[in-house]
């Protein structure tokens, strides 16, 4: 496409709009994430000589076009909803205005990152809601779709309210509290479970979480009591125990009982293994005495909604509005703005989609901000913990019915829902 | 765990086994992929000074352990089923034998890559089977879970039989034929569809595929005819047209009719948009005259099975077999081998799982090969196209019933199924 635009000398600016056309299953809201990576990508967009050489080797491209491509940088502007905010289906999440070749070249990366990170942040926020105040650790790295997704899952889930990650590189890179525990293999490689528990607690006397189910969960709980008492003698405290298989409600009640019978009320119970928001909701409603959840695979791949219908469509080109009419895929023309209304108590009351140059109602605030102008970033990304706080506050202002995990109503884009 | 092992001076070798414990939905076989990346990772395993410094800053680790960690390299061996081969649930796909700290440290990356690439190769092979000889291009990059997954999808799907990828970086990196076409935005940015078609065909006179559905698919087909005739006058041929929405069977029949009526039997029809193996099977069975499928999102996230139950379990430690007994998660002890039997015509007849040191039946061949010894790779990865050929040949030797997309029987691990 770029070569054809170049041959036609089409360098006029175009505006592209990024939108999720319809909700993935069971979703009634979405959480914005991925913008920081997109801004970083746009700031460094460049075809190096290896890339140009490869393109040349395909025989598909003319020399004058390849010479042009070697000099391409992103010179446009980007407006977007900041990270860690709620948004809704059909709303323009991000808009890029740039010479059409530049705006088109970045499409794949923009969708790839925004789609992934938004899906993961949304999924994680559902888990946080289901956990009703109990902590969650990100245990997803081993089963995310590749290493990039593992990093983005740690960041997106922390932004959405998880408390820690087992991904040590992500902890280091993003400043997330690292979380660790032992694997079954650790237990198996000692002569006995008790020996394994003791060795671990000696290395981490104040942060040991003992895995109970390698052989038998209740027998494991009794061994944990013995270790907890040894730690107490040495002036330390066992941090927790972990359930990783079986009936979590029944086992957590039994294990809590064993711990409490030995004055170990301070030892927390962590559950992990196959958990997602649906399972968390069930456990919380059943009153399972679980203090902390380790959430992995199903959240890390957004298992019930591994993709969304996020698209990047041209809305304005060469001073005229543009739209697409394909069956079921119509797009709205023009550069847009979202005006968000809240009621007196701060509760979200509805969004209005207008044109960029319009002024919204007096009781509304525009959501899209200009993060990049003429290729330069002009708003620094806040620390991750600030995005996390922002999301927590905004999510608290979304009515509970929109947080339903199965049949949420559609949030209105036109006024009071 | 590593710090506890270190403190206990546990440096004995352990063998870990990688296994998919149960089939993801609708699967009756799996395709091995990811080994090359794992070998590359093991060859370069090292904690650099930044990593050590971060770990030190957490306050969780002792200086003597961190000093040890700074010198860790992977010194073990790796045995695995080569890439591009069929394997089945519960079979040891890969085994690592190394000092237990090394074997444990690599767990997350090993599972992450093998799980992803195996899932994508398996999904892609299902699409290839459903397409029954029609070509498939990988269009998934925009919606895979991140950039790593986009690259791995291009490679895994090509290995499983796709013909090309729209991911130009992957095409360059792995030597896969690149595939490109135009987007709706390209059409929209010209005064008319015909102008857009003409501009594109002038830039790529011998490889133009025209997108028909921006406004109306049949009107698009008539415009394509006009362009095809212009190209013929100039001594070129229109390569194809693309359907991207609507009823593909009906539209492909109508478009084929329009093309054939104008002696354009050579113009191929490509369909894309929401396609997966189930949709491909329906279109092929309906006799839709589609020559080439562009398969994206649903294959790129393995939408009907975005995760598998792949685990990495210790099977041998310090000269003794080890197993796990957790409810529903039992593992087999000892370093293992898979012996594959074929019948006279080469058809796969069954696999037998034995111990590494056993000799299989005379009519069987061992599947696991030693790819790394004492930390050194000893089998070079063959060119991707060879892996592709190997898979095609092996897949041809799998009985058709195991390829059923919905209710395949379980392949026997003990003998004739």
């Amino acid at each position: 496409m770029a070569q054809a635009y170049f041959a036609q000398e089409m360098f006029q600016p175009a505006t592209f709009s990024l939108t999720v056309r319809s909700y993935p299953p069971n979703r009634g809201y979405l959480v914005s994430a991925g913008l920081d990576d997109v801004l970083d990508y746009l700031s460094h967009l460049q075809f190096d000589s290896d890339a140009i050489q490869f393109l040349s080797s395909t025989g598909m491209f003319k020399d004058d076009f390849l010479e042009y491509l070697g000099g391409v940088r992103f010179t446009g502007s980007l407006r977007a909803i900041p990270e860690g905010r709620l948004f809704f289906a059909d709303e323009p999440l991000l808009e890029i205005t740039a010479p059409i070749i530049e705006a088109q070249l970045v499409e794949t990366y923009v969708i790839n990152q925004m789609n992934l990170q938004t899906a993961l942040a949304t999924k994680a926020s559902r888990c946080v809601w289901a956990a009703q105040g109990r902590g969650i650790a990100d245990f997803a790295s081993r089963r995310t779709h590749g290493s990039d997704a593992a990093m983005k899952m740690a960041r997106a889930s922390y932004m959405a309210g998880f408390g820690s990650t087992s991904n040590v590189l992500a902890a280091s890179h993003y400043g997330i509290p690292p979380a660790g525990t032992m694997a079954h293999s650790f237990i198996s490689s000692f002569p006995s479970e008790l020996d394994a528990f003791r060795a671990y607690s000696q290395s981490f006397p104040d942060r040991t979480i003992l895995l109970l189910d390698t052989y038998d969960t209740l027998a494991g709980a009794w061994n944990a009591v013995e270790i907890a008492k040894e730690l107490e003698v040495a002036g330390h405290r066992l941090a927790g125990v972990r359930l990783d298989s079986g009936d979590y409600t029944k086992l957590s009640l039994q294990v809590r009982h064993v711990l409490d019978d030995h004055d170990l009320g301070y030892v927390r119970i962590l559950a992990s293994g196959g958990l997602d928001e649906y399972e968390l909701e069930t456990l919380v409603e059943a009153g399972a005495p679980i203090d902390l959840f380790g959430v992995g695979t199903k959240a890390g791949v957004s298992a019930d909604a591994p993709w969304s219908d996020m698209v990047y469509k041209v809305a304005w080109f060469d001073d005229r509005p543009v739209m697409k009419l394909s069956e079921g895929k119509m797009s709205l023309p023009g550069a847009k703005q979202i005006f968000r209304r809240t009621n007196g108590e701060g509760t979200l009351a509805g969004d209005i989609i207008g044109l960029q140059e319009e002024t919204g109602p007096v009781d509304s605030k525009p959501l899209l901000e200009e993060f990049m102008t003429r290729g330069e970033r002009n708003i620094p990304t806040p620390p991750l913990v600030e995005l996390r706080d922002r999301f927590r506050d905004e999510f608290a202002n979304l009515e509970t019915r929109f947080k339903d995990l199965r049949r949420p109503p559609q949030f209105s884009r036109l006024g009071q829902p």
Side-chain angles (χ1 to χ4, degrees), chain A:
Chain A
M1 283 192 278
Q3 172 157 285
Y5 284 136
F6 178 80
Q8 304 294 323
E9 296 180 8
M10 288 167 68
F11 300 103
Q12 303 95 316
T15 297
F16 281 73
S17 241
L18 189 73
T19 309
V20 177
R21 286 193 291 217
S22 57
Y23 287 111
N26 301 347
R27 269 71 172 162
Y29 68 84
L30 300 162
V31 181
S32 63
L35 179 59
D36 188 56
D37 286 301
V38 165
L39 291 166
D40 187 60
Y41 174 80
L42 296 179
S43 301
H44 297 96
L45 182 71
Q46 186 172 349
F47 288 78
D48 63 19
S49 56
D50 284 353
I52 297 293
Q53 206 171 323
F54 170 73
L55 293 173
S56 174
S57 75
T58 65
M60 298 181 209
F61 303 102
K62 300 202 174 87
D63 287 344
D64 59 347
F65 170 66
L66 290 176
E67 191 177 331
Y68 160 79
L69 209 56
V72 161
R73 302 293 181 275
F74 184 78
T75 63
S77 70
L78 180 149
R79 298 162 52 253
I81 302 177
E83 291 192 282
R85 295 208 65 167
L86 291 166
F87 72 103
F88 302 93
D90 257 342
E91 293 187 342
L93 167 61
L94 178 155
E95 295 200 330
I96 283 175
T97 300
I100 193 162
I101 294 178
E102 297 172 25
Q104 185 67 71
L105 281 171
V106 304
E107 170 173 357
T108 301
Y109 188 83
V110 170
I111 299 180
N112 179 287
Q113 289 296 313
M114 297 296 293
N115 179 57
L116 170 67
Q117 297 190 44
T118 288
L120 294 179
T122 303
K123 181 75 173 177
S125 81
R126 292 163 58 82
C127 294
V128 171
W129 173 247
Q132 289 293 312
R134 291 156 190 80
I136 308 185
D138 159 37
F139 278 8
S141 297
R142 67 180 55 193
R143 300 250 186 75
T144 57
H145 286 192
S147 54
D148 185 28
M151 295 294 284
K152 306 302 163 58
M153 172 60 184
R155 181 177 186 271
S157 65
Y158 185 69
M159 195 165 75
F162 280 25
S164 58
T165 181
S166 66
N167 182 330
V168 183
L169 182 61
S172 161
H173 194 71
Y174 297 122
I176 303 170
T181 171
M182 64 183 65
H184 296 105
S185 57
F186 182 83
I187 313 275
S188 317
S189 54
F190 283 80
S192 75
E193 186 177 70
L194 198 61
D195 290 330
F197 283 4
R198 189 172 289 128
Y200 196 93
S201 69
Q202 285 168 0
S203 274
F204 301 96
D206 294 304
R207 41 191 313 140
T208 289
I209 296 178
L210 298 170
L211 177 61
L212 301 186
D213 76 326
T214 307
Y215 306 107
D216 176 86
T217 297
L218 279 187
W222 286 95
N223 281 333
V225 167
E226 191 163 338
I227 297 299
K229 293 300 170 187
E230 292 177 10
L231 282 168
E232 283 184 356
V233 170
H236 298 288
R237 283 185 153 199
L238 178 63
V241 294
R242 175 156 77 105
L243 314 174
D244 194 50
S245 60
D247 178 337
Y248 295 111
T249 302
K250 193 178 102 186
L251 289 172
S252 63
L253 285 164
Q254 293 174 329
V255 167
R256 185 74 268 161
H257 197 73
V258 170
L259 293 169
D260 291 350
D261 271 358
H262 294 85
D263 300 319
L264 295 170
Y266 61 82
V267 175
R268 300 200 302 165
I269 298 179
L270 163 68
S272 61
L275 299 179
D276 60 12
E277 68 272 42
Y278 305 107
E279 188 71 19
L280 263 52
E281 185 179 59
T282 302
L283 292 172
V284 168
E285 284 178 0
I290 297 168
D291 306 287
L292 187 65
F293 296 107
V295 166
T297 304
K298 289 180 188 169
V301 303
S302 189
D304 66 333
W307 57 279
S308 78
D309 194 15
M310 186 183 277
V311 294
Y312 179 81
K313 293 292 167 195
V314 63
W316 190 265
F317 176 64
D318 196 18
D319 287 329
R320 64 185 174 84
V322 177
M323 63 192 298
K324 173 183 172 185
L325 299 172
S326 312
E327 200 178 324
K329 295 184 176 183
M330 211 163 80
S331 62
L332 294 171
K336 288 169 282 288
Q337 181 55 278
I338 304 168
F339 301 99
R340 176 155 295 172
R341 303 174 74 172
T342 49
N343 68 17
E345 292 79 44
T347 305
L348 302 194
D351 285 353
I352 298 169
I353 300 179
L355 291 173
Q356 182 188 354
E357 61 271 20
E358 288 184 293
T359 307
V362 285
D363 62 342
S364 74
K365 284 186 182 156
L367 287 194
L368 277 73
E369 299 173 28
E370 185 153 317
F371 282 86
M372 183 171 265
T373 308
R374 286 183 296 279
E376 299 290 332
R377 293 177 73 152
N378 49 26
I379 304 178
T381 299
L384 187 56
V385 71
E386 275 182 35
L387 301 178
R388 190 170 186 264
D389 291 345
R390 170 154 72 195
F391 177 69
R392 185 197 55 216
D393 294 345
E394 182 153 273
F395 194 67
N397 284 325
L398 181 67
E399 282 181 68
T400 300
R401 60 199 176 104
F402 296 110
K403 301 172 187 172
D404 190 280
L405 298 181
R406 286 181 180 81
R407 268 168 247 86
Q410 302 274 305
F411 189 79
S412 170
R413 284 188 289 105
L414 296 172
Q416 184 67 35

